[in-house]
Amino acid sequence: VCRLVVRDAQTGEVVREVTDQTEIQNAFEPFSEESGLAEEPDADAEYVFELWEPETQKLGQSADDLKEYKGLEVTTYEGSPVVGLEVSPIGLRLHITSRAAADALRALAG
């Protein structure tokens, strides 16, 4: 991950941008314990977390030409333990219930 961009889900405004890899890893650590799916909650979206990754260098491509792409988008919902995940490049969307993950992400947002 190159960076994590935190946006207010209602306004789209950037709340914070994080490049510290340890801080990003710690915020996403609770996801490693989760495996159950959930339905999208009725609550309003609160924050959107965009994980940006470096493009894979292709044969003949200069390292100077590498770009970043949004690999994952995570959404928290107001007052809800449900977290939405979207694998941006393929459009896969799912929701999980994890109070620990939702709280860790909210803490990262400030």
Side-chain angles (χ1 to χ4, degrees), residues 52-72:
W52 290 84
E53 302 177 38
E55 175 184 27
T56 301
Q57 188 172 3
K58 296 161 190 74
L59 184 64
Q61 184 180 21
S62 169
D64 296 334
D65 293 336
L66 295 179
K67 297 181 174 100
E68 294 179 353
Y69 70 95
K70 183 170 53 173
L72 180 67

